[in-house]
């Protein structure tokens, strides 16, 4: 059976640095960042692999037609079962001359001018690629891209591309530990779960362009461009009947662009003397004033590099940013100024689809982190994440910590060699991104492995050299530690109160995780009490407040941004969900998110977010939220009324939270529930009232709220948007203790991806699903949600 790949050539990752490239069959580098012709439609999924299923003549008429990204089994919002996907699976795609013609001028696939590649952004976990019955190789690991060259294997008729996906528990990072999926703190459903592209390039082309800004803060700033050329040269027979290759001369030019405006340009020539790869270095010198990339000004420039030779031309456009990011003993410095890192950790797991989320959903996560939770940094825990997510981080101004796949375990020598390769591929894939400010070159929460981590650090230095190295650890001293930035996962919180250890002296110090979930409890879920949910907001505010109060902390990344699927955590696991996220799996903000939402300048938007439910039902306190009730705000003063009577004046707690830009308000909201009084909070900047929040205790006005993240999606069969539905009071505030189910219906050219009906009471009065387009079908989609007590709501989405 194919799929294990032990005896096969290994597919080298795309954008592989030539110095580390292996000699393998039909495997090449791919341009950066171009992804070729979209290739997600028209795949056939045959389920579990059967002998011969990859052969071109195999009867695939019973296979299901799917659009990528794809997960091999259906999933719910919770209760995932890894045994369902831990198997070997088969995908097939028929390539026709018409489809290949979309990428070249050839009318016949066998006559395609140039070289043909298929590029995979990610397959979970191992992938064996076969064209017309010929095995091209196997790639190990689910989080990094790879390519296979189809050149020379295509025919003039039907071409069958087959991919055997081995999603078993394998000795491939992060997997391999005895005990299986429970040993890693995130689940990894199998499938071709990221995009696939088809690419036709000339025989000599640009395999990679690394454009590195140099001396960014100096008037002598420049951009050093390293262009990797991949060539296949024609052969000729000499008079002595020996075969030789005809050398070629190529012209390589590069220019720096700000939109359409050319800032700098240079060119050089190179002699291509043999088939293979070589690197040509060009320097764009004396670049004048630039706009620095930062979370406030995420300015991007384009480096456009072209290779021209007698047989063709190839051009690659690379986005870069000018920024200087440094971790020092007294904190983090961005573009020469001290900058406090404020952020969260993120997993790329989604309900129903696992990790198989399209570009729109990936981007939406970045938008939520940046604009709704006001983060300036995200940690990609604990693996390289979707290129679409990272594209958004570049564009929005969200700094990134990136790390190779891993979690608490290091395997044998062969396993460690994959770790080194993963670091190589991660750096090469993303070293042009201004958002990435640090490489983790050690695996998350592992012991010291000096030889391994010396090697991974050197790979990062050799391939990039502009970013420091780090890695999250659970020990608090530098014995055996050798990275550039000491990053500590600090969970010294107890009894609902957050605490941090002091910085380790003599090294740049960063808190890579903090807060998490309460020990011994599966919180924070919508079915938990308001008092429990409020603890999350308090502890995140406390942790960030401590980190911002001392210069020795570069900043802090809270755990976690979003709930995620996991078996690891004992009684903290609920429905195979781990729920430390300040937003839930449907990306609905919990009360814990209120602290993050309030950390924004009031000139952008005034914020008043009560960190409690205003409810006097059977599951809530009869006398209101009580003393110490937290209200997250960025305003100067709150005037609070219950039942029309003035109850309290609240001001920010600068004594305990003075280091925060916007400290929360704490007040006594002990109120009799008799008569179901309405709560009103007026917010003031100075003497000017700028915002009012109302909360209804009377459930008679409760309703079902339904929203869609986007008003339109594209008719490519991959694109999707999220819908969420909530039980809310008359003013849109979350109502606890909801029961029953929500029934969903969709009309128009789209499909619903989600549980229908949805167990509203089980989850806690919140739910969600996705609306996904159908290939090449456009029109208006109407989604309706209905609850027996809360009524009906609908939204419209246009498929274009």
């Amino acid at each position: 059976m194919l799929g294990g790949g032990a005896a096969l050539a290994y597919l080298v990752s795309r954008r592989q640095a030539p110095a580390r490239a292996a000699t393998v069959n039909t495997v090449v580098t791919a341009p950066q960042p171009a992804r070729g012709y979209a290739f997600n439609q028209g795949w056939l999924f045959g389920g579990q692999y059967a002998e011969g299923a990859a052969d071109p003549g195999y009867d695939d008429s019973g296979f299901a037609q799917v659009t990528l990204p794809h997960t091999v089994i259906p999933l719910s919002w919770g209760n995932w079962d890894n045994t369902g996907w831990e198997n070997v699976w088969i995908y097939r795609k028929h390539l026709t001359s018409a489809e290949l013609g979309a990428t070249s001028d050839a009318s016949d696939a066998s006559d395609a001018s140039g070289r043909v590649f298929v590029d995979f952004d990610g397959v979970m976990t191992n992938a064996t690629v076969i064209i017309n019955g010929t095995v091209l190789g196997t790639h190990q690991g689910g989080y990094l891209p790879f390519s296979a060259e189809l050149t020379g294997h295509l025919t003039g008729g039907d071409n069958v591309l087959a991919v055997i996906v081995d999603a078993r528990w394998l000795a491939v990072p992060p997997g391999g530990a005895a005990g299986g999926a429970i040993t890693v703190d995130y689940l990894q459903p199998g499938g071709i779960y990221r995009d696939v592209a088809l690419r036709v390039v000339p025989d000599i082309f640009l395999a990679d362009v690394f454009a590195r800004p140099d001396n960014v803060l100096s008037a002598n700033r420049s951009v050093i461009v390293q262009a990797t050329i991949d060539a296949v040269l024609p052969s000729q027979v000499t008079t002595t009947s020996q075969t030789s290759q005809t050398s070629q001369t190529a012209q390589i030019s590069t220019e720096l662009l700000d939109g359409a405006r050319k800032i700098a340009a240079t060119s050089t020539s190179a002699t291509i003397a043999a088939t293979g790869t070589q690197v040509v270095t060009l320097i764009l010198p004396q670049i004048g004033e630039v706009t620095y990339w930062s979370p406030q000004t995420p300015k991007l420039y384009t480096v456009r590099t072209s290779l021209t030779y007698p047989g063709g031309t190839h051009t690659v456009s690379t986005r870069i940013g000018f920024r200087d990011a440094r971790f020092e003993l007294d904190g983090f410095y961005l573009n020469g100024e001290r900058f406090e890192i404020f952020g969260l950790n993120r997993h790329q797991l989604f309900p129903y689809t696992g990790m198989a989320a399209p570009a729109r959903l990936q981007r939406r996560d970045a938008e939520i982190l940046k604009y709704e939770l006001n983060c300036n940094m995200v940690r990609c825990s604990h693996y390289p994440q979707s290129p679409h997510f990272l594209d958004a981080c570049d564009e929005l101004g969200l700094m990134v910590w990136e790390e190779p796949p891993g979690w608490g375990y290091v395997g044998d020598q062969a396993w460690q060699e994959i770790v080194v390769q993963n670091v190589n591929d991660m750096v090469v894939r993303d070293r042009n991104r201004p958002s990435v400010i640090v490489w983790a070159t050690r695996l998350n929460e592992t012991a010291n492995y000096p030889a391994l981590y010396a090697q991974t650090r050197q790979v990062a230095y050799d391939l990039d050299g502009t970013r420091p190295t780090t890695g999250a650890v659970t020990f608090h001293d530098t014995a055996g530690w050798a990275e550039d930035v000491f990053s500590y996962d600090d969970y010294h919180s107890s009894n609902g109160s957050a605490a941090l250890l002091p910085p380790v002296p003599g090294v740049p110090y960063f808190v890579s995780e903090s807060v998490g979930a309460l020990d011994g409890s599966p919180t924070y879920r919508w079915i938990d009490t308001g008092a429990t949910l409020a603890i999350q907001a308090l502890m995140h505010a406390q942790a960030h407040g401590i980190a911002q109060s001392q210069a020795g902390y570069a900043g802090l990344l809270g755990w976690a941004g979003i709930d995620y699927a996991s078996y690891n955590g004992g009684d903290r696991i609920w429905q195979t969900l781990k729920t430390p996220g300040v937003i839930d799996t449907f990306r609905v903000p919990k009360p814990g998110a209120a602290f993050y939402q309030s950390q924004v300048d009031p000139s952008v938007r005034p914020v008043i977010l009560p960190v409690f439910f205003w409810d006097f039902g059977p599951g809530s306190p009869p006398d209101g939220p009580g003393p110490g009730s937290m209200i997250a705000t960025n305003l100067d003063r709150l005037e609070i009324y219950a039942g029309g009577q003035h109850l309290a004046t609240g001001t920010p707690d600068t004594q305990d939270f003075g280091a925060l830009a916007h400290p929360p308000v704490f007040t006594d909201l002990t109120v009799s529930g008799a008569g179901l009084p309405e709560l009103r909070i007026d917010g003031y900047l100075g003497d000017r009232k700028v915002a009012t929040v109302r909360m209804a205790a009377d459930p008679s006005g409760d309703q079902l709220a339904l929203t869609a993240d986007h008003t339109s999606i594209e008719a490519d069969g991959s694109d999707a948007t999220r819908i969420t539905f909530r039980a809310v009071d008359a003013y849109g505030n979350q109502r606890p203790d909801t029961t029953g189910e929500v029934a969903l219906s969709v009309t128009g050219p789209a499909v619903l991806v989600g549980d229908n009906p949805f167990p509203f009471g089980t989850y806690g009065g919140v739910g969600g699903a996705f609306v996904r387009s159908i290939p090449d079908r456009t029109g208006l989609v109407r989604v309706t949600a209905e609850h027996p007590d809360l009524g009906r709501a609908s939204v419209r989405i246009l498929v274009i």
Side-chain angles (χ1 to χ4, degrees):
M1 179 186 71
L2 296 172
L8 301 176
Y10 284 89
L11 297 179
V12 179
S13 296
R14 284 191 284 138
R15 307 188 265 287
Q16 174 84 14
R20 301 186 56 81
T23 301
V24 294
N25 294 333
T26 59
V27 177
V28 299
T29 56
Q32 158 82 333
R35 299 194 181 105
Y37 166 67
F39 204 51
N40 288 337
Q41 293 186 23
W43 285 81
L44 300 175
F45 177 62
Q48 293 184 24
Y49 175 81
E51 196 67 35
D55 296 343
Y58 191 86
D59 182 7
D60 56 19
S61 60
F63 284 24
Q65 185 161 324
V66 299
T67 301
L68 307 180
H70 180 258
T71 302
V72 294
I73 63 169
L75 297 169
S76 178
W77 61 271
N79 289 317
W80 293 3
D81 181 359
N82 65 296
T83 63
W85 66 72
E86 287 184 0
N87 214 306
V88 182
W89 310 86
I90 181 68
Y91 291 82
R92 290 164 63 97
K93 185 171 175 61
H94 293 263
L95 310 182
T96 64
S97 297
E99 188 158 33
L100 289 166
T103 65
S104 74
D105 296 329
S107 59
D108 188 297
S110 61
D111 295 329
S113 176
R115 298 163 65 183
V116 184
F117 302 89
V118 59
D119 302 331
F120 296 85
D121 274 346
V123 179
M124 192 67 71
T125 299
N126 286 3
T128 299
V129 182
I130 302 155
I131 183 69
N132 295 330
T134 298
V135 177
L136 302 182
T138 290
H139 180 266
Q140 292 185 308
Y143 296 99
L144 288 155
F146 60 95
S147 294
E149 181 163 10
L150 310 184
T151 312
H153 301 287
L154 299 172
T155 70
D158 181 42
N159 294 272
V160 178
L161 176 67
V163 182
I164 299 174
V165 175
D166 191 343
R168 294 173 296 182
W169 182 253
L170 303 169
V172 176
I182 197 172
T183 63
V184 173
D185 188 27
Y186 46 94
L187 293 178
Q188 306 170 88
I192 305 179
Y193 78 103
R194 288 182 181 165
D195 291 344
V196 179
L198 191 68
R199 183 166 45 98
V200 173
V201 294
D203 289 339
I204 302 175
F205 71 99
L206 293 168
D208 180 63
V209 174
F210 176 31
R212 176 169 63 87
D214 193 39
N215 294 321
V216 170
L217 303 184
S218 166
N220 296 319
R221 66 181 62 86
S222 62
V223 177
I224 300 172
V225 179
Q226 295 177 339
T228 301
I229 301 170
D230 189 309
V232 171
L233 296 183
S235 299
Q236 63 180 7
V237 179
T238 68
T239 55
T240 58
S241 300
Q242 294 181 335
T243 300
S244 65
Q245 292 183 326
T246 304
S247 65
Q248 299 273 1
T249 299
Q251 189 76 14
I252 301 96
S253 62
T254 190
E255 54 188 356
L256 177 66
L257 304 172
D258 181 2
R261 183 174 67 91
K262 184 185 297 185
I263 298 174
T266 190
S267 64
T268 190
S269 61
T271 298
I272 315 297
T275 291
T277 60
Q278 66 186 77
V279 176
V280 174
T281 299
L282 304 91
I283 298 178
L284 293 163
Q286 298 178 341
I287 295 168
E289 291 298 317
V290 295
T291 300
Y292 293 141
W293 186 96
S294 74
Q296 292 76 29
T297 58
K299 176 67 175 178
L300 296 173
Y301 295 83
T302 299
V303 173
R304 187 164 63 197
T305 307
S306 295
L307 178 149
T308 302
Y309 72 106
T313 298
H314 187 228
T315 299
V316 171
S317 292
T318 306
R319 296 196 310 185
I320 66 168
F322 290 88
R323 61 107 185 95
D324 183 85
R326 299 176 185 272
F327 289 82
E328 305 288 357
L329 296 182
D330 60 344
F332 174 69
Y333 286 78
L334 183 64
N335 300 327
E337 298 182 358
R338 195 180 186 282
F339 190 94
E340 191 71 33
I341 293 175
F342 177 84
L344 287 159
N345 287 256
R346 182 237 187 196
H347 274 297
Q348 64 174 21
L349 285 156
F350 294 81
Y352 311 123
T353 68
M355 294 189 180
R360 186 182 302 275
L361 298 180
Q362 299 284 356
R363 181 182 181 86
R364 181 65 183 135
D365 272 8
E367 292 171 343
I368 291 170
L369 289 163
K370 176 68 188 291
Y371 294 130
E372 297 183 21
L373 300 178
N374 301 304
C375 295
N376 57 42
M377 186 171 178
V378 61
R379 178 182 174 200
C380 292
S381 49
H382 300 289
Y383 37 78
Q385 298 191 2
S386 164
H388 298 301
F389 177 75
L390 295 174
D391 286 347
C393 292
D394 286 338
E395 295 160 10
L396 302 176
L398 190 60
M399 297 185 295
V400 171
W401 158 319
E402 193 163 23
E403 61 189 65
W407 199 84
Y409 168 78
V410 174
D412 60 16
Q413 183 61 36
W415 195 96
Q416 293 181 35
E417 288 174 2
I418 301 174
V419 173
V420 176
Q421 186 67 52
N422 285 342
V423 172
N424 180 104
D425 300 344
M426 174 184 73
V427 172
V428 172
R429 188 190 76 163
D430 293 323
R431 58 188 173 178
N432 283 312
R433 297 186 180 278
S435 61
V436 177
I437 64 168
V438 63
W439 302 118
T441 53
R442 62 184 296 149
L443 305 182
N444 178 66
E445 295 184 352
T446 53
N448 289 320
Y449 286 81
L452 171 62
Y453 294 144
Q455 193 174 359
T456 55
R457 282 195 309 277
Q458 195 60 50
V459 167
Y461 296 150
D462 289 345
L463 296 178
D464 176 22
T466 69
R467 296 168 177 87
T469 62
T470 192
V473 300
T474 55
F475 51 83
H476 203 251
D477 61 74
T478 57
W481 172 90
E483 283 69 42
D484 300 311
V485 180
F486 193 99
S487 296
Y488 180 60
D489 289 352
D490 195 331
Y491 287 103
H492 286 81
S493 305
S494 61
N495 300 319
S497 181
L500 299 179
L501 293 183
V504 173
V507 291
Y509 186 83
F510 188 32
V511 180
S512 42
E513 296 180 23
S514 187
V515 181
L518 296 176
D519 289 339
S521 171
T523 53
Y524 303 95
R525 309 164 300 177
W526 286 111
I527 59 173
D528 290 312
T529 67
T532 295
L533 290 167
I535 291 173
Q536 186 185 36
L538 174 64
M539 292 175 67
H540 277 269
Q542 289 172 332
H544 279 286
I546 297 169
Q548 293 182 26
S549 68
Q550 300 180 39
Y553 294 99
L556 181 143
L557 302 175
W559 189 268
I562 308 167
D563 291 346
Y564 58 98
S566 176
Y567 294 153
N568 187 287
D571 58 5
R572 285 176 288 170
I573 302 301
W574 173 69
Q575 309 272 7
T576 70
L577 270 181
K578 207 166 184 178
T579 56
V582 297
I583 59 178
D584 76 352
T585 189
F586 299 112
R587 280 50 176 176
V588 175
K590 303 177 192 177
F595 159 66
Y596 289 90
Q597 292 170 298
S598 69
Q599 299 303 295
V600 62
D601 192 286
S603 65
V604 175
R605 58 183 176 274
V607 176
I608 304 172
L609 287 171
V611 188
F612 50 80
F613 299 128
W614 189 250
D615 182 77
F616 298 92
S620 300
D623 53 357
S629 295
M630 180 177 173
I631 304 172
T633 187
N634 56 2
L635 303 180
D636 297 333
R637 186 177 90 253
L638 303 179
E639 298 295 346
I640 304 167
Y641 302 83
Q645 301 297 312
H646 188 267
L647 182 63
T649 297
T651 55
D653 183 357
T654 56
Q655 179 174 345
D656 290 335
F657 297 89
L660 296 175
H662 303 289
V665 168
F666 296 89
T667 190
D668 188 349
L669 292 182
T670 302
V671 179
S672 170
L676 300 176
E678 182 177 291
L679 184 72
R680 187 181 96 233
I681 306 173
D682 293 336
Y684 291 81
L685 278 176
D687 295 328
R688 183 167 60 95
K689 185 168 73 172
V690 295
T692 296
V693 167
R694 288 181 168 85
M695 303 181 78
D698 184 355
S700 64
D702 289 359
Q703 56 193 311
L704 185 67
L706 174 66
T707 59
D709 281 2
H710 305 90
T711 58
S712 66
I713 58 176
E714 296 182 7
D716 61 3
S718 297
D719 201 9
T721 188
R722 179 175 29 250
I723 61 166
T724 54
F725 38 91
R726 302 185 299 125
V728 299
D729 69 12
Y731 300 109
N733 304 290
Q734 187 66 37
R735 180 71 75 192
D737 304 322
T738 303
T739 60
E741 295 180 332
V742 169
L744 301 167
S745 63
V746 175
T747 60
V751 295
L752 182 76
V753 180
D755 290 352
N756 189 21
F758 183 84
F760 209 41
T762 300
Y763 191 80
V766 173
F770 301 114
V771 175
R772 187 171 62 205
S773 66
I774 299 171
D776 303 320
R777 290 183 56 187
T778 62
L780 188 64
V781 173
R782 182 183 179 93
V783 184
T784 301
E786 188 169 6
H787 184 271
D789 300 321
L790 300 172
R792 177 184 297 182
S794 64
V795 293
R796 294 182 177 184
I797 301 164
L798 185 64
V799 183
I800 58 175

mmCIF file of all heavy atoms in Angstrom, residues 129-142:
data_model
loop_
_atom_site.group_PDB
_atom_site.id
_atom_site.type_symbol
_atom_site.label_atom_id
_atom_site.label_comp_id
_atom_site.label_asym_id
_atom_site.label_seq_id
_atom_site.Cartn_x
_atom_site.Cartn_y
_atom_site.Cartn_z
ATOM 1 N N VAL A 129 2.136 11.854 -3.731
ATOM 2 C CA VAL A 129 1.605 12.465 -4.952
ATOM 3 C C VAL A 129 1.949 11.580 -6.142
ATOM 4 O O VAL A 129 3.104 11.182 -6.325
ATOM 5 C CB VAL A 129 2.178 13.880 -5.145
ATOM 6 C CG1 VAL A 129 1.584 14.531 -6.390
ATOM 7 C CG2 VAL A 129 1.886 14.734 -3.912
ATOM 8 N N ILE A 130 0.939 11.292 -6.970
ATOM 9 C CA ILE A 130 1.075 10.357 -8.087
ATOM 10 C C ILE A 130 0.431 10.994 -9.309
ATOM 11 O O ILE A 130 -0.681 11.515 -9.234
ATOM 12 C CB ILE A 130 0.367 9.020 -7.753
ATOM 13 C CG1 ILE A 130 0.952 8.416 -6.475
ATOM 14 C CG2 ILE A 130 0.463 8.041 -8.912
ATOM 15 C CD1 ILE A 130 0.007 7.495 -5.759
ATOM 16 N N ILE A 131 1.107 10.956 -10.452
ATOM 17 C CA ILE A 131 0.540 11.447 -11.703
ATOM 18 C C ILE A 131 0.573 10.321 -12.733
ATOM 19 O O ILE A 131 1.632 9.739 -13.002
ATOM 20 C CB ILE A 131 1.275 12.709 -12.226
ATOM 21 C CG1 ILE A 131 0.606 13.242 -13.493
ATOM 22 C CG2 ILE A 131 2.742 12.445 -12.432
ATOM 23 C CD1 ILE A 131 -0.760 13.833 -13.270
ATOM 24 N N ASN A 132 -0.600 9.989 -13.249
ATOM 25 C CA ASN A 132 -0.724 8.945 -14.272
ATOM 26 C C ASN A 132 -0.013 7.655 -13.878
ATOM 27 O O ASN A 132 0.636 6.994 -14.678
ATOM 28 C CB ASN A 132 -0.183 9.447 -15.621
ATOM 29 C CG ASN A 132 -1.021 10.590 -16.177
ATOM 30 O OD1 ASN A 132 -2.230 10.664 -15.923
ATOM 31 N ND2 ASN A 132 -0.390 11.467 -16.934
ATOM 32 N N GLY A 133 -0.122 7.320 -12.600
ATOM 33 C CA GLY A 133 0.452 6.081 -12.089
ATOM 34 C C GLY A 133 1.896 6.165 -11.658
ATOM 35 O O GLY A 133 2.434 5.196 -11.112
ATOM 36 N N THR A 134 2.554 7.291 -11.900
ATOM 37 C CA THR A 134 3.955 7.464 -11.495
ATOM 38 C C THR A 134 4.023 8.179 -10.150
ATOM 39 O O THR A 134 3.483 9.281 -10.004
ATOM 40 C CB THR A 134 4.740 8.277 -12.537
ATOM 41 O OG1 THR A 134 4.736 7.574 -13.777
ATOM 42 C CG2 THR A 134 6.171 8.504 -12.083
ATOM 43 N N VAL A 135 4.675 7.547 -9.192
ATOM 44 C CA VAL A 135 4.816 8.138 -7.866
ATOM 45 C C VAL A 135 5.887 9.219 -7.918
ATOM 46 O O VAL A 135 7.040 8.958 -8.269
ATOM 47 C CB VAL A 135 5.179 7.068 -6.819
ATOM 48 C CG1 VAL A 135 5.386 7.723 -5.455
ATOM 49 C CG2 VAL A 135 4.091 6.009 -6.742
ATOM 50 N N LEU A 136 5.491 10.451 -7.573
ATOM 51 C CA LEU A 136 6.438 11.564 -7.574
ATOM 52 C C LEU A 136 7.171 11.699 -6.255
ATOM 53 O O LEU A 136 8.289 12.211 -6.212
ATOM 54 C CB LEU A 136 5.709 12.868 -7.894
ATOM 55 C CG LEU A 136 4.959 12.903 -9.230
ATOM 56 C CD1 LEU A 136 4.326 14.263 -9.436
ATOM 57 C CD2 LEU A 136 5.887 12.562 -10.381
ATOM 58 N N GLY A 137 6.556 11.259 -5.165
ATOM 59 C CA GLY A 137 7.220 11.347 -3.873
ATOM 60 C C GLY A 137 6.226 11.515 -2.749
ATOM 61 O O GLY A 137 5.011 11.544 -2.958
ATOM 62 N N THR A 138 6.759 11.597 -1.536
ATOM 63 C CA THR A 138 5.949 11.753 -0.329
ATOM 64 C C THR A 138 6.461 12.934 0.481
ATOM 65 O O THR A 138 7.673 13.127 0.610
ATOM 66 C CB THR A 138 5.986 10.472 0.522
ATOM 67 O OG1 THR A 138 5.258 9.450 -0.152
ATOM 68 C CG2 THR A 138 5.360 10.685 1.888
ATOM 69 N N HIS A 139 5.529 13.702 0.999
ATOM 70 C CA HIS A 139 5.888 14.796 1.904
ATOM 71 C C HIS A 139 5.401 14.448 3.303
ATOM 72 O O HIS A 139 4.271 13.983 3.486
ATOM 73 C CB HIS A 139 5.250 16.108 1.455
ATOM 74 C CG HIS A 139 5.581 17.263 2.354
ATOM 75 N ND1 HIS A 139 4.770 17.654 3.387
ATOM 76 C CD2 HIS A 139 6.658 18.090 2.381
ATOM 77 C CE1 HIS A 139 5.318 18.694 4.005
ATOM 78 N NE2 HIS A 139 6.464 18.965 3.421
ATOM 79 N N GLN A 140 6.248 14.699 4.301
ATOM 80 C CA GLN A 140 5.913 14.407 5.687
ATOM 81 C C GLN A 140 5.579 15.695 6.429
ATOM 82 O O GLN A 140 6.334 16.660 6.385
ATOM 83 C CB GLN A 140 7.079 13.720 6.388
ATOM 84 C CG GLN A 140 7.368 12.315 5.888
ATOM 85 C CD GLN A 140 8.465 11.647 6.700
ATOM 86 O OE1 GLN A 140 9.549 12.211 6.880
ATOM 87 N NE2 GLN A 140 8.191 10.470 7.211
ATOM 88 N N GLY A 141 4.459 15.694 7.117
ATOM 89 C CA GLY A 141 4.082 16.822 7.957
ATOM 90 C C GLY A 141 2.966 17.643 7.345
ATOM 91 O O GLY A 141 2.890 17.812 6.128
ATOM 92 N N GLY A 142 2.106 18.167 8.206
ATOM 93 C CA GLY A 142 0.873 18.772 7.738
ATOM 94 C C GLY A 142 0.823 20.278 7.654
ATOM 95 O O GLY A 142 -0.210 20.817 7.257
#
